Amino acid sequence: MKLKVILVGCGDRACVYAHFGVHEFQEMEIVAAVDPDEVRREYVHEHFSVPLDRCYKDIDEVLSQGKIADAVINGTMDFLHIKTSIPFLEQGYDMLLEKPITNNEEELLKLANTAKEHHCKLMICHVLRFSNFYREIKKTLLSGEVGDIININ
């Protein structure tokens, strides 16, 4: 049985995760999508066969449907993470959330407590840290090939 997922924020990162889950591993079905951008909603409709009436502009539209999936992939802009995560956790959705979670301790604790209170799995992505190009950069820097490192910004 495939994992039913809602994409919240349909930018590149969320769509890459969806692509792997749907097309590569064939373990996921995207049942709804939320994004204020019509072009992104259309992309999800075309590439993941999400019906247009399940492509929403705002999270309130999908939240009003009740729990229609197993999990959410939240790929919204950083400043929207807490605002868009809490309501889904309160409905009992497990969630994959892009980093950074927040830069505010109070919001971080609220998010963690909401997930715990509603028995939700909350997973945070740190994918670039282990990407091949970062590994190569680190290998090159550690080899001394570029000389002594004075500062990295």
Side-chain angles (χ1 to χ4, degrees):
M1 188 157 112
K2 293 183 180 183
L3 185 69
K4 294 182 183 202
V5 174
I6 299 170
L7 290 183
V8 178
C10 302
D12 182 63
R13 189 70 50 85
C15 287
V16 166
Y17 299 147
H19 170 79
F20 277 96
V22 171
H23 300 299
E24 298 293 326
F25 303 125
Q26 299 178 356
E27 297 283 338
M28 185 187 301
E29 176 186 359
I30 307 302
V31 298
V34 182
D35 199 291
D37 186 317
E38 184 178 351
V39 172
R40 289 182 180 174
R41 292 192 310 272
E42 184 65 32
Y43 178 90
V44 171
H45 166 68
E46 290 175 7
H47 288 84
F48 303 110
S49 303
V50 177
L52 286 174
D53 66 346
R54 290 282 179 117
C55 294
Y56 304 98
K57 293 178 185 178
D58 185 85
I59 65 168
D60 293 333
E61 296 173 283
V62 70
L63 288 166
S64 71
Q65 306 290 315
K67 191 169 182 206
I68 62 169
D70 304 305
V72 168
I73 295 175
N74 188 339
T76 58
M77 300 295 289
D78 298 348
F79 70 94
L80 294 172
H81 283 175
I82 301 302
K83 178 182 177 183
T84 57
S85 295
I86 297 288
F88 284 100
L89 294 170
E90 289 174 340
Q91 282 196 354
Y93 285 98
D94 292 333
M95 182 176 291
L96 181 67
L97 178 61
E98 247 326 294
K99 66 151 182 85
I101 303 166
T102 180
N103 63 355
N104 177 303
E105 182 179 4
E106 183 180 323
E107 289 179 345
L108 179 62
L109 292 173
K110 181 178 181 181
L111 185 72
N113 290 334
T114 302
K116 185 176 181 179
E117 178 183 337
H118 294 278
H119 310 286
C120 301
K121 294 175 187 158
L122 179 59
M123 300 155 282
I124 310 303
C125 298
H126 292 272
V127 295
L128 288 178
R129 178 176 296 165
F130 303 104
S131 296
N132 287 337
F133 67 90
Y134 275 128
R135 288 179 188 200
E136 281 301 311
I137 291 169
K138 182 177 180 182
K139 182 177 154 186
T140 301
L141 293 175
L142 292 176
S143 76
E145 184 178 333
V146 296
D148 294 332
I149 299 171
I150 306 296
N151 185 22
I152 296 178
N153 186 0

